[in-house]
Amino acid sequence: MAEWVNATVQQVQDWTESLFSITVTAPIDPFIAGQFAKLALEVDGERVQRAYSFVNAPSNANLEFYLVTVPEGKLSPRLHALQPGQKLMITKESAGFFVIDEIPECKTLWMLATGTAIGPYLSILQEGKGLARFEHIVLVHAVRYAQDLSYLPLMQALEQRSQGQLRIQTVVSREAAEGSLTGRVPALIERGELEAAVGLPMTAEESHIMLCGNPQMVRDTQQLLKETRDMRKHLKRKPGHITSEHYW
C-alpha cells in the first residue's frame, strides 16, 4: 500500500483557463526523471487521488506538476483552487518506467507528447542524465491551440543549451500558428511532414520513439509506425523501437 506524506503548496501558475501548474514541497523519496507520483485531497471524507508526472528535474526540491482542469472532476478543480501554504497529500515513493535507462541504443530519440504529457520529457531533459549517448533528440509538443504551449520558453531554452543535440517542434491541431505544424501527429508522420520539419529521418534503423499523452494519439501512432516503418513496441525481453505511456 502506498505511503502518503503531506505536501505544502508553493505556487499555482495559471497558463490558460484550464491549464495550470502546481508546485509543492514534500519529504518524498528520490525519484527518476520521467516517473510520476500520486496527488490526493480529502473530499467528503474520501481520499481522491490521481497520478501526475513530475515536470521538474529530480535534483530540484520544488516538485512541479502540469495539469488540466476537468470542470466536473473531483480532484483537478480543487487542486487548481489551492493557495500557497495549503496542504495536499503525495505518495512518498514515485513509480513508472518511462525513463531514459529503459530506452535502447539509437541514433535519434523522438519524444512525442500531447497536452500535459510534455511533463515527463521536461523532467528528463532538465536533469540531462543519460542523454549523451543519443546523437539527436527531437521533442515534439502537440496541442489544440498555440496558447496551450505553456512550456515553450523552457523548451526553447533547453534547445539552446543542448549545443545542437535537441530539436524542438510544436504542433497545433485547431489553428495555424507561426513555427508550428498544423494537424495531428500520426498524419504528420504519415505524410513525412514531421521529419521534413526537423530534418531527421524516423527509421527503425536509427530511431526510438517515446509516446506520451492522449491514448488515441498513442494508439494511432503505434499502429502507423508498425505498418509503415516496420517498428514494434519495445519490451525488455524483446527490444523494439516504441516506448509508450498512456496519460489517462
Side-chain angles (χ1 to χ4, degrees):
M1 183 175 290
E3 180 181 353
W4 294 86
V5 296
N6 285 327
T8 303
V9 177
Q10 303 299 316
Q11 181 185 34
V12 176
Q13 169 76 53
D14 288 311
W15 301 106
T16 68
E17 286 187 2
S18 60
L19 291 170
F20 70 100
S21 298
I22 184 168
T23 302
V24 306
T25 51
I28 64 169
D29 292 340
F31 69 94
I32 302 170
Q35 289 191 310
F36 61 86
K38 290 182 180 178
L39 303 183
L41 288 169
E42 290 286 342
V43 180
D44 299 327
E46 173 192 2
R47 179 186 290 155
V48 180
Q49 63 186 52
R50 189 174 172 193
Y52 297 103
S53 294
F54 294 95
V55 174
N56 61 291
S59 54
N60 187 343
N62 290 313
L63 310 176
E64 185 175 353
F65 303 91
Y66 185 35
L67 287 71
V68 60
T69 301
V70 180
E72 67 278 11
K74 281 189 174 183
L75 184 60
S76 59
R78 289 177 169 86
L79 291 174
H80 195 180
L82 290 173
Q83 300 294 317
Q86 290 187 296
K87 304 288 186 180
L88 65 151
M89 289 172 285
I90 184 171
T91 46
K92 195 171 191 293
E93 292 186 4
S94 303
F97 297 97
F98 200 69
V99 298
I100 285 300
D101 285 351
E102 297 291 329
I103 304 302
E105 295 300 320
C106 65
K107 184 176 181 180
T108 303
L109 177 62
W110 295 78
M111 298 175 161
L112 310 185
T114 59
T116 56
I118 191 70
Y121 297 132
L122 295 177
S123 180
I124 289 167
L125 291 168
Q126 287 183 95
E127 186 71 356
K129 293 180 180 177
L131 300 179
R133 61 190 172 102
F134 306 111
E135 185 174 337
H136 305 292
I137 301 172
V138 181
L139 176 62
V140 178
H141 191 197
V143 297
R144 292 179 298 173
Y145 300 101
Q147 68 172 5
D148 300 334
L149 295 167
S150 309
Y151 286 93
L152 183 57
L154 174 57
M155 292 166 60
Q156 291 170 332
L158 290 168
E159 183 181 41
Q160 289 174 355
R161 83 181 194 198
S162 75
Q163 299 181 322
Q165 182 193 33
L166 175 65
R167 304 183 192 190
I168 64 170
Q169 180 61 54
T170 54
V171 176
V172 179
S173 63
R174 298 190 182 181
E175 64 181 3
E178 184 178 356
S180 296
L181 295 174
T182 305
R184 293 185 68 244
V185 169
L188 293 170
I189 295 173
E190 187 172 22
R191 296 194 297 264
E193 293 179 34
L194 181 56
E195 291 159 281
V198 301
L200 291 168
M202 186 183 289
T203 63
E205 292 75 28
E206 296 187 358
S207 305
H208 192 88
I209 320 298
M210 297 180 76
L211 298 170
C212 189
N214 184 308
Q216 192 65 53
M217 181 280 287
V218 172
R219 285 192 295 267
D220 290 350
T221 304
Q222 285 177 331
Q223 190 64 27
L224 175 71
L225 294 173
K226 179 181 177 181
E227 293 176 354
T228 67
R229 308 296 173 102
D230 197 28
M231 294 184 180
R232 63 179 179 272
K233 187 179 289 189
H234 176 63
L235 303 170
K236 276 190 173 182
R237 63 183 181 276
K238 189 176 182 182
H241 318 90
I242 306 167
T243 298
S244 61
E245 178 127 298
H246 290 232
Y247 219 60
W248 61 76

